[in-house]
Each structure stands twice: as C-alpha cells, then as structure tokens.
Amino acid sequence: MNASLKAARRATFAFFALNGFVMGAWIVHIPAVESRTGISHAVLGWLLLLLGAGAFAGMQLCGRLTDRVGARRVVPAGAVLCSAAVVLPALAVDAATLGAALFLLGFGNGCLDVSMNTHAVQVERGYGRPVMSAFHAVFSLGGVLAALVGARLVTWGWDLGVTLTAVAVTGLVVTLCATPALLGPPVPTGGGARSDGTASTGTAAAGDGARPAGRRRTPRRVWALAVLALLLMLCEGVANDWSVLHLEDVLGAPAATAAFAYGAFATAMTVGRLLTDRVAARTGPVFVVRYGASAAGVGLAVAALSPWVAPALVGWAVFGLGLSGCVPQFFSAAGHADEDAAGAHVSRVAGLGYLGMLAGPAVIGPLTHLVPLNLALLLPVALCAVAAAAAGVLRADPPREADRSGRCRTEAV
C-alpha cells in the first residue's frame, strides 16, 4: 500500500470527523439559537426544513461538480463553506435571518457530504477492499466530540457566537492540514477505458485530467440503491427522534433512563460501523444489508412490543447495530457503479437518504394519532424487511461484452 493512499485515507477520516463535529456543534446549540432569535418550537421545526433543503441542493450540485473537477477541489471548498456557515445561526436575529443561515449551513453540509463520500469511494477503490463504513463511524465520533465539547463550553458560559466561531476556525485549520493529502481525479486510460480497465464512454483523452463531458443518465440500479437508502435512513431518523419518547411515554421510564434508548442506539451504530468493513470484506455487501436490516427489524420489533424497559433498551441497541453497516454499502455501490459518474451517483443516494432521515419524524408523528407510538414503530420494522428482501440489488451487474473486450485490450497492452 503506497504512502499517498494511506495519507488520503487519513485525510478522508479528518473530513468525515470535521463534518460530524461541525453539524454536532450546531445541534448542541439549537436551544441557545432558538432563545436568541425568540422563535417558537413550531417555527424552528419549519426552519429546519430549510436546512434539509439546502443540504439536498448542495448534494445535487456538487455531485456532478465533483465528477467534473475532482473531489480534491470540491471537498475542501465544501468543508470551508460548511465550517464558515456554522457561525451564521449565531448572527441571526429573527426567523427570516435564521432561515437563510440554516439554508446556507445545509448547503455547505450537502456539498461536503457528497464530495467526501465520493472521495471515500476513490480511496476504497485504491485499497481494493471495503473501507467506507469506518469513515461513517468517524463521522459519528465527530458528533460525539461536538456534544462533549459543546456541553463543557456551555457550562463555562462561553458566548454562542464565540463558540461557533471557534468551531469554524477549527474546521478551517483541519481543512488546511488535510487537503494536500487528497487524491487527484482518476485519469482514464487510453481508448476510452477507465482506470480499472473497463470500458468507459464520454471521457477525455488520458492524461489531460479532464472529467466526462455531458450529462449521463442515472442507471436504474443506482436509483434502487437510493430508494433503499431512503428507507433505512428513515428508520435511523425514527430512532433519533422517537427512541427516548418511546421509553418515556410508552413504558413510563424516568427521563434519565429514557435517554439511554438513543444512547444505546447511537453507540451500537458507531461500534457496528467500525466493524462492518471487515465483515463486508469477508461476506460481501449483500450479506451485510440482508442480515443487518433483518437484525434491525427484529431489534426494533422487540423494543416496540416489549412491556419492560431492559429488553426495549436491548432492542434499540440491536436496531442500531443492524442498521450501522447498511447505508455505507449503498454509498459504496453507487460510487463504484461508474467511476466517471461517482459523484452524481453518490449524490442520488445521499440526497434521497437525507430526505428519508428528515421524513422519519414526520411519518411517525401522524401515525401516533391513529395507533399508539409502539405500534407506529412497526412501520420502520416493515421497511427493514423490504430492504432485507431487496439487498440483492447490491450485486454488481455482470460486465457487458463491450466491457470485457475493452478490458482484454487493456490487459493486452
């Protein structure tokens, strides 16, 4: 393994941790921002949709941009924008200015998210084995670090603007240090073949560093991966917003105990992502998603139907462990589907997945007017079953005849 590839992997870890840290810092300070701007919980809920809209817009724009100019340029630009934009909510004075700030923060987050995942696919391609899940685990650890640091600074009485400015400066320093190690765009080989030896169309001549020209049609398989990401990230969103309320409202657990529901879920998910790459290398992504989604469904069913707190906590932990390795497989498969359109494909998966994350709370909420919360949680159980049944879509399409002939010509040279 060459030193430049190892350095690129470390740099990718740095950007994933940075993204988790910046967004975690915003989440920790939501109450302070809400108080400073004088808005209600309801207004904040609507404004958070602008955060999601900005993220979706950033993902779609930067997906194709990454394919054209390379992740080496887009990742640091996204990191700078995301880091700088985290200061803006502290400057907001009312709902309108906060909405604009959240849209820009979401846009920067979307740009960084899709470009760093595209670069992660490039690193994974160089390693020749799964490494994607570990990057997502480090994102989670960045969020945990933000929560710990943010809580400490709040107890010290730091001003909101000073705190978020410090976060922004940290992000800029990390970007400056990590950017030189990022990989340049993969250069197609001569005769229209990709660097992995398979045939490619619409690429520039080898050696000029240009990326493909023209719009490519997104394959149906990539859309299928995006839909599965939407389903399972919707399940993740349900855990984020309803796990604590489930223990508190349904099982009558004290608030301190109920908080362990999300803690068990998040911890299990982080640990699972640290371990998933080794499992995927041995068994393949289909196995990871099929049995991971199945385990997640069983875990959530146990949590939802248990009349006792302890089994419910175990169920939420199993739910997180099962989900942990699934979504990274979709990012990886989409990015590897076509090297020259990796950014665009990752943006489809990330975009729909992000919409699913936002939709989770919105879907469960109305259901609770019809059925008890624990029964409403059986909907994500069903979605896990659908994902498990459809896991076969992760199998790569067999190479076409033209691809095989192109590979033969490359090997002959």
Side-chain angles (χ1 to χ4, degrees):
M1 196 66 60
N2 62 61
S4 62
L5 188 58
K6 291 182 179 179
R9 188 184 185 191
R10 289 193 294 269
T12 310
F13 277 128
F15 281 109
F16 271 80
L18 169 62
N19 192 201
F21 182 74
V22 170
M23 297 310 295
W26 148 247
I27 292 171
V28 168
H29 291 92
I30 286 177
V33 172
E34 185 181 39
S35 176
R36 174 173 290 196
T37 54
I39 61 175
S40 65
H41 292 328
V43 172
L44 177 64
W46 285 108
L47 293 179
L48 288 175
L49 294 178
L50 291 174
L51 181 73
F56 186 81
M59 289 173 183
Q60 302 315 305
L61 174 66
C62 285
R64 292 191 179 278
L65 183 62
T66 301
D67 291 332
R68 286 186 174 277
V69 304
R72 185 185 180 92
R73 296 181 181 179
V74 182
V75 170
V80 168
L81 179 57
C82 187
S83 298
V86 78
V87 179
L88 298 179
L91 304 179
V93 296
D94 54 23
T97 52
L98 180 58
L102 291 181
F103 182 87
L104 290 175
L105 177 59
F107 186 83
N109 177 49
C111 292
L112 177 57
D113 190 302
V114 73
S115 59
M116 71 184 185
N117 272 288
T118 303
H119 187 265
V121 169
Q122 193 177 345
V123 171
E124 187 174 62
R125 188 178 292 117
Y127 269 77
R129 59 180 173 85
V131 297
M132 178 67 77
S133 290
F135 293 133
H136 286 251
V138 170
F139 172 88
S140 299
L141 293 176
V144 172
L145 178 61
L148 295 175
V149 172
R152 173 54 62 185
L153 295 182
V154 168
T155 61
W156 287 350
W158 278 39
D159 178 74
L160 175 63
V162 173
T163 300
L164 294 183
T165 299
V167 171
V169 171
T170 301
L172 296 177
V173 171
V174 171
T175 301
L176 185 64
C177 294
T179 295
L182 295 176
L183 298 174
V187 180
T189 59
R194 295 199 317 242
S195 60
D196 64 359
T198 60
S200 178
T201 59
T203 56
D208 64 3
R211 307 304 298 145
R215 293 175 63 89
R216 291 170 177 242
R217 188 172 183 178
T218 303
R220 283 178 293 180
R221 176 171 175 261
V222 172
W223 283 118
L225 293 169
V227 170
L228 291 180
L230 183 151
L231 296 183
L232 292 187
M233 289 182 74
L234 186 152
C235 295
E236 186 176 341
V238 167
N240 293 343
D241 291 89
W242 293 100
S243 56
V244 175
L245 286 173
H246 164 246
L247 256 69
E248 196 168 344
D249 293 352
V250 176
L251 300 182
T257 302
F260 282 108
Y262 177 71
F265 170 83
T267 301
M269 175 165 276
T270 302
V271 172
R273 284 178 171 173
L274 289 172
L275 300 175
T276 294
D277 288 330
R278 294 185 180 183
V279 176
R282 288 174 175 268
T283 63
V286 175
F287 179 95
V288 170
V289 173
R290 178 164 293 155
Y291 292 98
S294 298
V298 171
L300 184 56
V302 169
L305 300 178
S306 172
W308 302 290
V309 170
L313 287 173
V314 173
W316 281 110
V318 173
F319 185 50
L321 187 65
L323 287 181
S324 62
C326 294
V327 172
Q329 307 309 311
F330 303 142
F331 280 82
S332 180
H336 288 302
D338 183 347
E339 180 179 334
D340 295 328
H345 292 171
V346 169
S347 73
R348 301 294 183 265
V349 174
L352 281 189
Y354 199 85
L355 290 180
M357 181 80 77
L358 294 175
V363 169
I364 297 298
L367 279 180
T368 60
H369 295 294
L370 303 174
V371 296
L373 174 58
N374 61 324
L375 295 183
L377 293 177
L378 295 180
L379 173 62
V381 171
L383 297 183
C384 287
V386 171
V393 74
L394 282 158
R395 293 192 183 93
D397 295 329
R400 294 174 300 182
E401 195 64 36
D403 294 338
R404 288 195 291 267
S405 64
R407 186 181 295 110
C408 291
R409 287 196 299 271
T410 304
E411 292 174 349
V413 174

